[in-house]
């Protein structure tokens, strides 16, 4: 490939108007324009290296359980110890602790030199993604097909989940109380699953329906088998064969589904996208493309020779896509319990209200194919770096935590001081829709919090798209936040 030659106009060539415009306008540039020139092979290598390790992590962690387990393994390798091992004692500066909350959420911290009462620097992301969960009695037979009934999880466009390969992930608890982990459809030799779609030849009526009704929630049934069990006397022969296979492989019966947590996710792997390989297409960028940089930023802090000034904390929560409910979601006390264990019950409230947080979550990248729903001047753009969203919510900022101007400007000055490329982004035009994150939950505890993450195309679809340079910039931005806030 030919080497790019960069030409820079001499400053003197500029007219007074051009100079003034440069000084006064806010116009974030595409970050790639500053990468890969003469003598900058290092940055290019770092961006691609980071993207490669991220893709690997995505393939390992397609569910909240898998991702948090993979993250916990990285922490252990870096010398983090479980919270219980403190035995109620307060950790000293430099201590590295973590807690894996019920195998789904993850908390970790590197204790700083300043007392915890002075507050923490927190990165909070989520590791659950939209998917199809099995119901508690999912398996049935119809016309010699075995099918699995699902209940979708999170905000999805249902029609997007038909006619694609799906993989089965999750846990069964067998009759003896033993947990059996399941992951089927990820290796090339594994079988995969799918939800059938109607052929266009017969879809005349379906095509007249609204997009939201063309494929309904109850239509999302997964094709799981078609071969009868050879016994004339049995009624549901295909279902019996499937159960006999599940019994052989996992030691379970139909009753085991009642206590199981089985999730179906797209069976494809994370891939480089585009001729220039500038992007990554994958399932589950929301919100692992923020969770992973957050985790890596804390690992970087942990690997430094001296402890950070302030304590760094990373929270990878679960259940964000369904409102952060449950005892692994951000609305639970899991986060506060962890902080209380570090700073002591007596300091908890003071510590929280003195803390700073980036609610690390994705934003909608401007999509020229759907330009009408975006406010061009207030959208985030792929390739322009880390996105800050002062507020989320919908219809008159309803449900938004709306970061304070003083805090926002302080975060931005840290970014500027560290050379981090940033942009801001509001999720679509006013009254076109909206969304939320875990920011409002942190705000309730008195924490200064701001939404900040990676711009994404095709959000919540089975195959979301991000830019490699935004991913890397986000990591650098999160690291600057932990170090300098
Ligand atoms: Mn999210
Ligand atoms: Mn989401």
């Amino acid at each position: 490939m030919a080497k790019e030659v960069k030409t820079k106009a001499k400053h003197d060539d500029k007219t007074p108007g051009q100079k003034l415009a440069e000084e006064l306008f806010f116009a974030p540039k595409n970050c790639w324009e500053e990468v890969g020139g003469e003598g900058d092979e290092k940055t290019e290598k770092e961006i691609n290296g980071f993207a490669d390790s991220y893709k690997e992590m995505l393939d390992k962690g397609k569910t909240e359980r898998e991702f948090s387990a993979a993250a916990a393994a990285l922490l252990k390798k870096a010398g983090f110890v479980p919270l219980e091992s403190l035995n109620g004692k307060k950790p000293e500066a430099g201590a590295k602790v973590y807690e894996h909350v019920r195998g789904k959420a993850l908390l970790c911290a590197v204790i700083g030199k300043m007392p915890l009462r002075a507050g923490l620097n927190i990165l909070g992301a989520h590791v659950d993604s939209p998917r199809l969960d099995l119901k508690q009695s999912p398996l049935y037979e119809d016309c010699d097909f075995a099918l699995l009934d699902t209940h979708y999880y999170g905000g999805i466009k249902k029609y997007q989940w038909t006619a694609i390969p799906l993989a089965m992930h999750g846990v069964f608890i067998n009759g003896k109380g033993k947990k059996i982990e399941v992951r089927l459809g990820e290796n090339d030799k594994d079988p995969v699953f799918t939800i059938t779609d109607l052929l266009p030849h017969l879809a005349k009526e379906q095509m007249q329906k609204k997009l939201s009704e063309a494929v309904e929630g109850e239509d999302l049934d997964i094709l799981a088998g078609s071969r009868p069990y050879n016994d004339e006397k049995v009624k549901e022969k295909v279902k019996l064969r499937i159960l006999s296979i599940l019994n052989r492989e996992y030691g379970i019966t139909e009753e085991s589904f009642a206590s199981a947590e089985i999730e179906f996710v797209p069976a494809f792997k994370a891939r480089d996208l585009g001729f220039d390989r500038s992007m990554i297409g994958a399932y589950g960028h929301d919100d692992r493309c923020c969770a992973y940089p957050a985790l890596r930023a804390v690992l970087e802090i942990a690997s430094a020779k001296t402890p950070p000034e302030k304590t760094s904390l990373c929270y990878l929560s679960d259940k964000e896509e369904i409102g952060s409910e449950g005892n692994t979601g951000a609305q639970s006390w899991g986060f506060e319990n962890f902080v209380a264990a570090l700073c002591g019950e007596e300091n908890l409230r003071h510590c929280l209200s003195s803390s700073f947080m980036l609610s690390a979550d994705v934003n909608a990248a401007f999509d020229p194919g759907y330009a009408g729903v975006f406010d061009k001047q207030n959208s985030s753009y792929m390739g322009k770096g880390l996105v800050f969203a002062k507020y989320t919510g919908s219809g008159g900022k309803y449900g938004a935590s709306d970061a304070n101007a003083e805090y926002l400007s302080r975060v931005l000055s840290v970014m500027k001081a560290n050379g981090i490329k940033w942009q801001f982004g509001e999720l679509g035009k006013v009254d076109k829709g909206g969304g939320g994150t875990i920011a409002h939950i942190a705000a309730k505890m008195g924490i200064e919090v701001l939404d900040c993450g990676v711009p994404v195309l095709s959000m919540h679809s089975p195959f979301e798209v991000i830019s490699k340079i935004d991913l890397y910039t986000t990591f650098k931005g999160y690291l600057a936040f932990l170090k300098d806030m």
Side-chain angles (χ1 to χ4, degrees), residues 166-169 182-187 190-193 250 264 267:
L166 298 168
M168 178 169 89
H169 292 240
V182 178
R183 191 181 161 92
L184 187 64
E186 296 297 344
N187 292 329
D190 284 354
V192 293
F193 305 86
Y250 308 118
F264 279 77

Side-chain angles (χ1 to χ4, degrees), residues 6-28:
K6 298 220 164 170
T7 48
K8 241 186 190 168
K10 271 185 213 146
H11 191 68
D12 307 4
D13 297 345
K14 288 178 185 160
T15 64
Q18 278 178 314
K19 281 184 211 166
L20 192 62
E22 232 167 62
E23 199 185 317
L24 300 183
F25 287 160
F26 176 69

Side-chain angles (χ1 to χ4, degrees), residues 286 320-321 460:
D286 177 6
E320 192 274 343
E321 296 296 357
H460 283 207

Side-chain angles (χ1 to χ4, degrees), residues 126 128-130 154-155 286-287 320-321 361-362 436 459-460 464:
H126 68 92
D128 61 316
S129 296
D286 177 6
D287 181 33
E320 192 274 343
E321 296 296 357
D361 209 339
V362 296
M459 198 195 291
H460 283 207
E464 303 175 315

